[in-house]
Amino acid sequence: MEKIEEQQKYINEIKELNKNNENLKYCILTMGCQLNENDSEKLCGMLEEMGYTKTDNFEDANIALFNTCCVRENAEDKLFGKLGELKRIKEKNGTIIAIGGCMMQEQHIIDKIKHSYPFVDVIFGTHTLYRFPEDLFKALQNKEKVKDVIDIDGEVFEGLPIKRDSKIKASVTIMYGCNNFCTYCIVPYVRGRERSRKPKDIINEVKELAKEGYKEITLLGQNVNSYLRVEREKNIEFEEYEGVNSFATLLRAINKIDGIERIRFVSPHPKDFTDDVIVAIADCDKVCKLIHLPLQSGNTKVLKEMNRKYTKEQYLNLVDKMKSRIPNLTLSTDIIVGFPGETDEEFEDTLDVVRKVKFEQVYMFIYSRRVGTPGDRMPNQVPEEIKHERFNKLKELVESQIEENNQKYVGTVQKVLVEGKSKNNPNMLTGRTDSNKVVIFEGNNDLINKIIDLKIESEHMWYLKGCLIGG
Ligand code: SAH
Ligand code: SF4
Ligand code: F3S
């Protein structure tokens, strides 16, 4: 807590530095997952308290901020492309450039920035995000280049300012880090070990969000269903609050908070999907029945090499069990194609699981070698063309399933949380079903932030079209 107060002092110092300077702006580019987006909301909160306002254009910004991801190579390429562009802008406008996030936890990236992009002012890592005000102050006041990256797990900090992107849906990080070390994945190396937030801090944050009028909460973590697991397994004492001592009890406690109408969570791990979690999902009316259940591969041998700790059969049995106990369950998943050593036959198992489960949504990825992971050191890397072939095959199957699945919505009545005007068609409103499908429809603005019944009239691959009942 003291540490946060110290940062508050730096926020005030920067405000003081800026006091004769109105119209100061920041521009932020966030890459990666929802955890990174939630971190960015905290960075925006700090910057706003310092007196900066947000712009979407780097040309207009006094501070250019990047919150980076390194889960796949294309995320890296994006940063270096942008930095080239920013060099020119900095030369013209004197923009302060700050880079944080997962990529900054990788030494070879830091070396590359030092060597090829020496004009970057501030570099900070995932464990030092809370120290951004201090780092920025040093760069502004002393005009020094700041590198603030540590390798030890950060503490769990509470009380950082936050500026949320939406007034309707809010993300709440419940745990940081990951202990699973899937062999393809860089996340455990750049985010450190699992650390859960205290039940009391989470519950109070959600209660506060409910008071502010938020309707939907998404609980975030790399492995949400191992919430408080380390504490339980190692007998580390923690303070229970409103009966919360596990992920299942956390869902139950949040389900009781008045004002919150929908609860989502990403990502659970199939190996930790215990019965108490399944029963809690079924019992809690506010918990959306779309569950993200990352498959990664449908082949038992590949799963073993990935260190996922479940087999094809165990995954399918889990799906059957969930479907039988949770009415109206829908599922989404993540799949990687072209993991080292994956043969055509093994890839067929992935297609087989996709055919059997009929996911609502599949996030598909081509395996990307990550420096420092066991997967990168495996000798039998799959050639690029084959990876792409498999990707296209999977995509074709998934798209045909989505089309078929969308047909099932036509003619039904769906509960939709209305989020605002449709971006593509300002005469229409847009919202989402329990299963997270986008629905657009004609209606009055006073429906925004309400859950309403819509009759689905037609499907269009990535969205559904609906109408008000009796309207
Ligand atoms: N903790 C979450 C998500 C982690 S990252 C989980 O376990 O589900 C999000 C997704 O990126 C992963 O589910 C995986 O499908 C994909 N991914 C991770 N590392 C990858 C890599 N090296 N190449 C391709 N996809 C990867
Ligand atoms: Fe990566 Fe696996 Fe951890 Fe997910 S569970 S973050 S895929 S190591
Ligand atoms: Fe990327 Fe870091 Fe998330 S590597 S996926 S931003 S945890």
Side-chain angles (χ1 to χ4, degrees):
M1 224 43 225
E2 245 168 55
K3 290 185 177 168
I4 296 294
E5 276 162 24
E6 201 182 322
Q7 294 307 312
Q8 195 62 48
K9 272 194 230 145
Y10 283 106
I11 290 180
N12 296 339
E13 297 257 15
I14 295 177
K15 208 169 169 178
E16 190 63 24
L17 278 183
N18 288 340
K19 76 169 180 255
N20 297 324
N21 232 335
E22 276 172 33
N23 218 9
L24 288 170
K25 293 202 161 27
Y26 69 95
C27 182
I28 182 165
L29 178 66
T30 306
M31 300 155 205
C33 63
Q34 293 181 60
L35 283 150
N36 244 23
E37 281 168 17
N38 193 228
D39 281 348
S40 283
E41 292 182 327
K42 291 173 191 157
L43 291 166
C44 292
M46 297 179 205
L47 283 161
E48 301 261 337
E49 282 199 6
M50 294 169 192
Y52 296 91
T53 53
K54 195 172 188 167
T55 168
D56 290 331
N57 191 346
F58 280 112
E59 296 264 0
D60 302 334
N62 303 81
I63 312 271
L65 183 55
F66 296 90
N67 194 6
T68 61
C69 168
C70 52
V71 80
R72 287 172 294 273
E73 194 175 357
N74 49 11
E76 282 175 12
D77 296 343
K78 196 165 166 185
L79 174 71
F80 293 121
K82 274 280 165 202
L83 279 181
E85 226 176 276
L86 264 173
K87 183 169 187 223
R88 184 185 52 81
I89 298 176
K90 186 181 173 79
E91 279 164 1
K92 201 166 60 171
N93 302 342
T95 322
I96 297 283
I97 301 175
I99 316 182
C102 297
M103 250 174 106
M104 298 305 110
Q105 296 293 139
E106 297 185 289
Q107 191 53 45
H108 69 279
I109 298 286
I110 303 266
D111 294 343
K112 182 164 173 178
I113 291 177
K114 278 212 171 126
H115 182 256
S116 307
Y117 306 89
F119 53 88
V120 171
D121 297 283
V122 179
I123 290 175
F124 59 102
T126 55
H127 305 300
T128 47
L129 176 119
Y130 76 99
R131 266 195 323 238
F132 176 64
E134 181 175 347
D135 297 338
L136 182 62
F137 178 77
K138 285 182 186 155
L140 289 169
Q141 171 86 340
N142 315 338
K143 312 258 178 293
E144 59 179 280
K145 302 277 179 225
V146 181
K147 182 193 149 225
D148 185 13
V149 181
I150 53 171
D151 223 2
I152 44 170
D153 294 349
E155 296 164 48
V156 174
F157 287 107
E158 300 294 340
L160 291 175
I162 186 157
K163 183 172 184 287
R164 296 182 185 274
D165 291 337
S166 156
K167 299 239 169 295
I168 299 169
K169 304 196 284 188
S171 300
V172 175
T173 301
I174 64 167
M175 56 194 303
Y176 298 89
C178 179
N179 288 356
N180 291 325
F181 290 93
C182 303
T183 53
Y184 49 81
C185 186
I186 192 78
V187 171
Y189 304 89
V190 297
R191 286 274 175 174
R193 297 294 67 71
E194 276 178 25
R195 288 144 293 164
S196 294
R197 282 177 73 196
K198 290 194 188 108
K200 188 177 181 176
D201 291 326
I202 299 171
I203 300 287
N204 285 342
E205 182 174 347
V206 178
K207 283 183 177 165
E208 202 48 51
L209 288 165
K211 263 194 225 146
E212 290 170 31
Y214 283 90
K215 293 281 163 18
E216 182 174 308
I217 299 295
T218 303
L219 305 174
L220 299 179
Q222 293 300 355
N223 187 2
V224 286
N225 47 352
S226 64
Y227 176 65
L228 290 176
R229 184 184 57 189
V230 176
E231 284 75 1
R232 282 196 309 274
E233 280 178 2
K234 294 195 177 159
N235 279 326
I236 300 171
E237 227 174 282
F238 64 91
E239 204 184 322
E240 264 191 44
Y241 188 71
E242 298 193 355
V244 177
N245 55 19
S246 64
F247 185 59
T249 47
L250 179 66
L251 287 179
R252 288 180 187 279
I254 294 178
N255 196 60
K256 286 192 196 127
I257 298 175
D258 283 340
I260 299 302
E261 298 194 31
R262 280 184 172 176
I263 304 164
R264 300 184 189 277
F265 54 87
V266 274
S267 287
H269 195 302
K271 78 177 163 63
D272 299 314
F273 227 107
T274 43
D275 287 354
D276 61 334
V277 177
I278 297 177
V279 177
I281 295 169
D283 285 350
C284 295
D285 58 323
K286 296 176 184 175
V287 174
C288 291
K289 303 311 184 230
L290 169 73
I291 305 297
H292 187 66
L293 194 65
L295 170 67
Q296 312 301 0
S297 164
N299 176 268
T300 297
K301 180 169 152 272
V302 175
L303 284 167
K304 187 159 178 34
E305 312 242 294
M306 286 178 161
N307 194 29
R308 290 292 291 177
K309 303 198 168 75
Y310 51 86
T311 63
K312 177 184 182 184
E313 288 67 34
Q314 281 168 333
Y315 186 92
L316 287 172
N317 288 341
L318 174 62
V319 168
D320 283 345
K321 181 155 83 176
M322 289 169 71
K323 280 187 175 166
S324 70
R325 298 203 190 156
I326 306 169
N328 299 319
L329 179 81
T330 56
L331 292 162
S332 61
T333 201
D334 287 354
I335 290 175
I336 299 175
V337 302
F339 183 76
E342 183 188 66
T343 63
D344 281 337
E345 296 76 58
E346 287 162 358
F347 171 64
E348 282 300 322
D349 273 331
T350 298
L351 297 177
D352 186 46
V353 175
V354 171
R355 269 187 217 109
K356 289 193 166 115
V357 178
K358 296 201 170 65
F359 295 102
E360 193 73 27
Q361 183 68 264
V362 181
Y363 301 92
M364 296 165 270
F365 306 105
I366 291 176
Y367 172 69
S368 172
R369 295 175 76 161
R370 304 287 75 207
V371 174
T373 60
D376 186 42
R377 296 188 290 270
M378 290 180 184
N380 38 7
Q381 302 288 328
V382 175
E384 286 302 314
E385 332 65 272
I386 297 184
K387 286 193 214 171
H388 280 91
E389 257 170 47
R390 288 183 192 158
F391 183 86
N392 291 336
K393 222 167 159 182
L394 175 63
K395 187 160 167 264
E396 221 172 274
L397 171 63
V398 166
E399 287 182 357
S400 73
Q401 282 191 328
I402 288 180
E403 231 176 312
E404 196 181 308
N405 185 44
N406 280 352
Q407 289 295 346
K408 286 195 213 132
Y409 284 89
V410 179
T412 64
V413 173
Q414 297 286 326
K415 292 223 173 298
V416 171
L417 173 58
V418 185
E419 291 174 10
K421 287 193 172 127
S422 160
K423 277 204 189 95
N424 300 328
N425 184 348
N427 298 323
M428 309 281 272
L429 293 177
T430 180
R432 283 178 189 263
T433 63
D434 180 284
S435 58
N436 216 27
K437 278 249 179 270
V438 174
V439 185
I440 65 165
F441 66 104
E442 268 176 57
N444 286 331
N445 286 346
D446 56 6
L447 295 175
I448 294 171
N449 203 11
K450 294 202 172 94
I451 293 187
I452 57 166
D453 282 332
L454 287 178
K455 175 132 194 223
I456 306 303
E457 293 179 307
S458 56
E459 64 89 13
H460 307 261
M461 197 71 189
W462 302 118
Y463 67 96
L464 305 169
K465 218 163 171 180
C467 65
L468 291 162
I469 294 170

